[in-house]
Amino acid sequence: MAALNIVLYEPEIPANTGNIGRTCVATGTRLHLIEPLGFRLNEKEIRRAGMDYWKDLDVTTYINYQDFLDKNPGAKIYMATTKAPNVYTEVSYEPDCYIMFGKESAGIPEEILVNHQDTAIRIPMIGDIRSLNLGNSVAVVLYEALRQNNFENMNLEGHLKKFKWE
């Protein structure tokens, strides 16, 4: 079974990474963390944001971006950045693609982006807003990729405990 992949390049805020980890568990998505991290993975903020889901997370860490590339040869990588020419809904996400997000304070470095201009994507915003929160950005793009892949293996219907929908 193919699984989407979220890549965080040098994340700085533990609560963001914890929330993203919880989203990954809920969607069957793999999480990849490229060091250096702005926190330790055993910090209380990660556990609080990820709740009791962190133990179920498929997470891999890499010592740097080159280590990530070496261990994932041929990976199709979409780069989420405010500098992108493409809106995130204008591309077709493969079932096993990688979607990379940069660190909260600076995004993905331009020396990386220049090699991925054709797969750089952006979330539209108005005015001079610098960016959305990292956890929100991941959720927006990830759920579009999941939608395009028909929410494979996900629960598509909820049920009330006491009542039935009419």
Side-chain angles (χ1 to χ4, degrees):
M1 175 179 78
L4 291 167
N5 298 273
I6 293 297
V7 182
L8 302 183
Y9 178 87
E10 299 182 3
E12 300 167 314
I13 301 174
N16 284 340
T17 301
N19 287 323
I20 292 164
R22 183 176 179 174
T23 298
C24 287
V25 171
T27 59
T29 302
R30 295 181 192 111
L31 180 60
H32 304 263
L33 303 175
I34 298 175
E35 296 178 347
L37 308 179
F39 50 85
R40 291 183 316 277
L41 287 176
N42 61 356
E43 284 191 23
K44 181 171 44 172
E45 291 87 354
I46 289 249
R47 290 192 313 273
R48 184 178 304 135
M51 297 182 66
D52 55 344
Y53 300 102
W54 195 260
K55 67 182 176 7
D56 301 318
L57 180 62
D58 182 354
V59 61
T60 305
T61 58
Y62 304 89
I63 57 172
N64 57 36
Y65 180 64
Q66 189 59 54
D67 183 38
F68 166 76
L69 292 177
D70 292 345
K71 291 180 178 166
N72 298 285
K76 177 72 178 247
I77 307 169
Y78 293 92
M79 301 280 177
T81 173
T82 57
K83 300 172 178 80
N86 304 306
V87 174
Y88 74 99
T89 56
E90 297 174 337
V91 300
S92 296
Y93 300 95
E94 299 79 4
D96 57 352
C97 70
Y98 292 72
I99 308 168
M100 181 180 286
F101 297 82
K103 61 181 161 183
E104 292 90 341
S105 65
I108 300 170
E110 289 193 11
E111 56 267 19
I112 293 174
L113 292 174
V114 73
N115 296 317
H116 296 276
Q117 293 179 46
D118 57 329
T119 58
I121 55 171
R122 67 177 289 114
I123 299 170
M125 295 175 284
I126 61 171
D128 294 329
I129 300 299
R130 196 173 58 227
S131 66
L132 296 177
N133 169 274
L134 181 60
N136 293 339
S137 296
V138 168
V140 165
V141 177
L142 175 58
Y143 267 88
E144 172 61 15
L146 290 164
R147 183 195 67 77
Q148 288 185 17
N149 286 277
N150 301 311
F151 298 108
E152 186 178 339
N153 299 314
M154 298 180 76
N155 296 331
L156 299 178
E157 185 177 311
H159 302 281
L160 295 173
K161 292 181 181 180
K162 296 182 181 182
F163 304 97
K164 292 190 177 202
W165 293 105
E166 296 188 36

